[in-house]
Amino acid sequence: MRSHRRDFLKSSLAASTLVSMGSTTVPAFLARSAQAANARANDRVLVVVQLIGGNDGLNTVVPHGLDGYAKSRRVLRLPAGQIQTINKEVGLHPAMGGMAKLLEAGRLAVVQGVGYPNPDRSHFRSMEIWESARREEGALETGWIGRAIDAMPHPGGRDTPALHVGSRVLPLALKAKHSEAPSLESLEQYRLQLAGNAGDQRTMREALDQVARLDRAVDDPLLGFMRRSTLTAYDSSKRLEQVIKPATDKSQYPNYGLARRLELIAQIVKAGLGTRIFYTALDGFDTHANQLGTHAALLTELSDSIAAFQKDLATSGQADRVALLTFSEFGRRVAENASGGTDHGAAAPLFVVGPVKSAGLIGAHPSLEDLEDGDLKHHTDFRRVYASLLDAWLECPSAQTVGPGFEPLPLFRSV
């Protein structure tokens, strides 16, 4: 046993001195994920896209045929002839052609009138409510996804069920008590890099292959732990390299930040690393002034990025196992302001993309005449949407995550 252990330690330490991971060591999530990859390659995946700033729902899902829209939106009114039609009264913003095609393909559900009772118009507080699925104030230690991943079965405790993609600090939504959701901005952060010249790299790979052949019957706990950590990181790196090469050579994604983040998520999904929930964001929706151009650009990025993501998944045969949710901390006021923008509001629509049960509108559009302090009244609590994603999609009981009494919506078809 001593000779095996000595040889392995020598190989592992030598390899570790040649591993470069940017600013970090070989991340634990790669080591954990590869262990479960084969067993969980067909699990359903959820991608959450947060629209930061408070998206103007009225100019996203546009009630152009309803009384009150033209009266409240003189500067910001979108011409009915340019709207991407959903029905005779409601349509998508003209910039959302990609999402309109997903709607035609039966891949997009629009949940209208989403919010919560006694809405808060503070960015920080409303984001806290949406991300935690809790109304109590004070120090909140966990988010709704964090509680969900704590409740999920983790094969051997070694996979990483959730991953944050972006440069923000870890969102509250992903904070858990017993699990850790890493953050990354690029796959280069997590690829196993064997430094040195070609000969050095070949030597290290041979050392890792030799480690794989060691007699497992004589392993002690330290030896077993080091072998698993090294080999699973190496295996994950090889999986990622196989997926990265074709995607990097000829990307089909538009040149947007959100598109690149979704491309990265698609690469990880296709690599089969076992992660079930991905979280990313698009910022800039706090449109208090000169909204028309800014909002159109944001919705173009959102729509084109999601459309490219769906096309990528469909091409690789992964589309029916991935659902995508968009949400924002609140909508905007019905009436435009004097600066050609909109102020903080309440209820708004959200999107669910994937194998939805019924494409199109879910729920009636809130009245534009019967307002609450100038805002749309919600009729669907956002926690019902979360309950749908947890119970029906991820097969994770929602009551312990969002609380009891939130009946799931019939969002998904059987796949």
Side-chain angles (χ1 to χ4, degrees), residues 23-37:
S23 60
T24 184
T25 57
V26 176
F29 100 84
L30 279 182
R32 294 193 298 266
S33 296
Q35 295 283 350

Side-chain angles (χ1 to χ4, degrees), residues 19 22 72 75 79 86 116 131 149 219 251-252 254 256 304 323-324 351 371 412:
V19 172
S72 301
V75 173
I86 298 178
Y116 55 88
E131 292 187 34
I149 62 178
D219 281 356
S251 174
Q252 299 298 315
Y256 296 123
D304 290 358
L324 182 146
F351 298 119
L371 305 178
F412 299 104

Side-chain angles (χ1 to χ4, degrees), residues 27 150-152 209 269 303 358:
D150 275 344
M152 287 179 180
D209 290 338
V269 169
S303 178
S358 298

Side-chain angles (χ1 to χ4, degrees), residues 135-253:
R135 289 305 310 269
E136 63 267 22
E137 296 196 43
L140 294 170
E141 297 181 353
T142 61
W144 73 278
I145 294 175
R147 292 192 295 276
I149 62 178
D150 275 344
M152 287 179 180
H154 302 168
R158 289 187 290 272
D159 67 331
T160 294
L163 182 65
H164 172 235
V165 178
S167 58
R168 294 175 61 208
V169 298
L170 186 72
L172 171 62
L174 291 169
K175 292 186 178 179
K177 284 187 176 180
H178 307 298
S179 305
E180 181 180 356
S183 293
L184 76 156
E185 294 183 59
S186 70
L187 285 177
E188 291 301 321
Q189 289 178 279
Y190 292 102
R191 290 176 64 191
L192 185 64
Q193 304 284 339
L194 296 179
N197 58 37
D200 292 336
Q201 294 174 11
R202 184 169 54 253
T203 299
M204 289 304 101
R205 289 191 174 92
E206 290 173 354
L208 289 168
D209 290 338
Q210 180 182 356
V211 167
R213 294 191 294 269
L214 290 178
D215 183 5
R216 298 189 178 194
V218 297
D219 281 356
D220 64 11
L222 175 61
L223 180 57
F225 170 78
M226 292 187 69
R227 174 193 285 125
R228 289 193 302 271
S229 298
T230 304
L231 290 182
T232 53
Y234 181 50
D235 180 65
S236 297
S237 179
K238 291 195 294 184
R239 287 173 182 265
L240 289 176
E241 287 179 358
Q242 291 171 358
V243 175
I244 291 169
K245 287 179 180 178
T248 307
D249 291 343
K250 190 176 181 180
S251 174
Q252 299 298 315
Y253 285 76

